[in-house]
Amino acid sequence: MNRAPLDVQRLRSSPGVLFFDRIDVVESTGSTNADLVARAADPSVDRQALLAEEQVSGRGRHARAWVSPPRAQISLSILVRLPGIDPAALGWLPLLTGISVVDALRGAAGVAPALKWPNDVLLDGRKLAGILAEVAATGSSPAVVVGIGMNVDLDESELPVAHATSLSLAGARDIDRTALVAAILAEFARRFTAWERSGWDSIELAAAYRERCATIGIDVRAELPGGKVITGVATGIDDTGRLLIGGEAVSAGDVSHLRGQY
């Protein structure tokens, strides 16, 4: 199948991306997240976006593989530093990224995705994208790399798992990956800038996430390390980004699997 490459020059000149010091596209790499984590060893490196037409070692949470044919997906990682943030608030960055992806797709692709806590983007109840955040450097100005893997132009036979979907399968009005990435980067920049200006306050982010979260209000089963299982209705997201199941709060880092009736 002849799939168009990303246009890096068009990306760099798109509205709303001046936030980024550097935007790169490579033909193939092991993992865009791993590449930016390596760059973060230099304390001057900040606000960088890296895309790959193909990832050969892409991964999601708990080292799950993320695979896709070349040029059929968006494999995007973003490196940012968060000066002065309380380490407990770092968990909001992947949630902010999820909000940015949902809002970008609503505007650019004409679809109505929702968020599955903590790291998935759903479309018609099927997985469209996954998000993975990794702390690359600690200290007073920690660096975090957040990766987005999204199915854009895959047919049913190319989907990585049966419960996945792609923008083309969902009938999105636009699957121009360059335009989609530009929209995601612009939304991320806008949300991140507002969050930083607020002194890393989570009130606005929490409200936005709750509005877009399909997990709230459904019966879920959370599997935790050590074999512990929590079941019940997901009643909300607390101010630190944890999911509330009945009277118990669980953090993203503690949940191995979260299942629900989507």
Side-chain angles (χ1 to χ4, degrees):
M1 189 181 296
N2 185 23
R3 293 174 165 124
L6 290 161
D7 185 338
V8 69
Q9 296 306 323
R10 198 172 125 215
L11 264 181
R12 291 169 177 163
S13 61
S14 298
V17 303
L18 290 177
F19 169 91
F20 294 94
D21 292 345
R22 181 174 171 183
I23 300 173
D24 294 316
V25 176
V26 298
E27 192 61 34
S28 181
T29 191
S31 160
T32 53
N33 261 34
D35 292 346
L36 286 191
V37 167
R39 284 189 199 175
D42 179 346
S44 69
V45 171
D46 191 10
R47 300 191 178 192
Q48 298 201 359
L50 175 64
L51 294 117
E53 297 288 18
E54 177 187 35
Q55 283 193 121
V56 297
S57 304
R59 66 198 190 284
R61 294 178 70 239
H62 304 291
R64 298 175 191 130
W66 180 277
V67 295
S68 171
R71 298 183 177 180
Q73 81 300 320
I74 290 171
S75 298
L76 164 65
S77 294
I78 297 169
L79 164 64
V80 286
R81 294 188 186 269
L82 300 92
I85 194 171
D86 181 341
L90 288 173
W92 277 108
L93 185 60
L95 304 187
L96 176 152
T97 305
I99 295 167
S100 302
V101 170
V102 164
D103 289 359
L105 292 178
R106 288 178 179 179
V111 292
L115 295 166
K116 175 189 172 184
W117 184 93
N119 70 314
D120 289 346
V121 179
L122 304 179
L123 190 53
D124 301 326
R126 301 169 74 182
K127 183 173 179 178
L128 176 69
I131 295 165
L132 174 68
E134 301 177 79
V135 176
T138 57
S140 60
S141 186
V144 180
V145 174
V146 60
I148 302 160
M150 182 188 302
N151 299 325
V152 178
D153 186 25
L154 284 77
D155 62 31
E156 288 281 357
S157 68
E158 294 173 316
L159 293 174
V161 290
H163 61 272
T165 190
S166 69
L167 287 175
S168 59
L169 287 171
R173 70 169 179 236
D174 190 354
I175 57 169
D176 176 344
R177 291 183 306 134
T178 300
L180 295 171
V181 171
I184 292 167
L185 292 178
E187 280 292 335
F188 178 92
R190 185 178 69 82
R191 286 276 177 189
F192 186 90
T193 299
W195 187 32
E196 183 174 29
R197 287 175 178 167
S198 75
W200 312 117
D201 185 273
S202 65
I203 292 176
E204 184 177 334
L205 274 182
Y209 191 87
R210 291 175 188 128
E211 287 174 9
R212 294 156 179 79
C213 185
T215 307
I216 297 172
I218 68 171
D219 286 309
V220 298
R221 172 188 170 90
E223 299 176 11
L224 282 66
K228 183 178 180 181
V229 174
I230 301 173
T231 59
V233 175
T235 56
I237 307 291
D238 73 9
D239 290 340
T240 63
R242 297 179 301 175
L243 181 68
L244 302 174
I245 306 174
E248 204 158 348
V250 296
S251 67
D254 290 337
V255 175
S256 302
H257 293 278
L258 183 76
R259 296 183 171 87
Q261 296 301 316
Y262 292 94

